[in-house]
């Protein structure tokens, strides 16, 4: 990829209004998290077998992630998301990423696909936390 050609993330962040970048990163987080949650709810059996994770755990995670995504989506819909709830989202994302790695090391016994999935989603969620943190700081909070 050429250095002058923007990536999808830089295109999302490119705006003169710092609130817009933050809202876009929150909305992206809500969309990805909500999609994950709905997939876990709708396909807990097949995904559980593929990932080597109990389907009941996936159902619980799906319900949690869907509700969390709705909250993040509501925050993203605000013209100027308040700093305190945005910080809570950033901290929750960081905690999720860390706990995913701890669970993989200590509690879960996933398939190879499940281990890769767990690490990949932890990296994505940590990335959301980082992008949201940078966007919040750029806004002056």
């Amino acid at each position: 990829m050429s250095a002058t050609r923007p990536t999808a993330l830089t295109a999302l962040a490119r705006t003169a209004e710092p609130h817009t970048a933050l809202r876009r990163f929150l909305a992206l987080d809500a969309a990805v998290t909500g999609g994950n949650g709905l997939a876990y709810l709708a396909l807990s059996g097949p995904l559980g077998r593929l990932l080597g994770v109990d389907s009941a755990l996936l159902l619980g995670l799906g319900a949690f992630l869907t509700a969390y995504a709705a909250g993040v989506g509501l925050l993203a819909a605000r013209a100027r998301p308040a700093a305190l709830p945005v910080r809570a989202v950033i901290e929750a994302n960081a905690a999720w990423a860390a706990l995913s790695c701890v669970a993989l090391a200590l509690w879960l016994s996933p398939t190879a696909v499940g281990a890769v999935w767990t690490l990949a989603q932890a990296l994505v969620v940590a990335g959301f936390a980082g992008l949201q943190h940078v966007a919040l700081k750029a806004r002056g909070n």
Side-chain angles (χ1 to χ4, degrees):
M1 178 177 284
S2 165
T4 59
R5 198 167 155 211
T7 65
L9 285 178
T10 58
L12 273 174
R14 205 171 273 171
T15 176
E17 182 61 40
H19 305 293
T20 301
L22 178 59
R23 291 177 62 219
R24 287 176 181 168
F25 291 137
L26 289 167
L28 181 61
D29 184 354
V32 171
T33 302
N36 245 9
L38 291 174
Y40 290 170
L41 286 171
L43 302 168
S44 63
L47 284 175
R49 288 187 293 279
L50 176 68
L51 302 174
V53 177
D54 184 61
S55 62
L57 174 62
L58 287 182
L59 278 173
L61 289 174
F64 171 78
L65 291 174
T66 302
Y68 178 79
V72 175
L74 288 173
L75 188 58
R78 298 185 58 117
R80 183 180 167 97
L84 185 61
V86 171
R87 283 191 198 101
V89 167
I90 293 166
E91 290 173 10
N93 283 343
W96 180 275
L99 285 173
S100 294
C101 295
V102 169
L104 185 59
L106 300 179
W107 302 303
L108 298 176
S109 299
T111 62
V113 171
V116 169
W117 175 254
T118 301
L119 288 175
Q121 63 82 34
L123 289 172
V124 168
V125 173
F128 286 147
L131 291 168
Q132 292 158 352
H133 175 73
V134 168
L136 185 63
K137 286 190 77 121
R139 196 178 81 168
N141 294 109

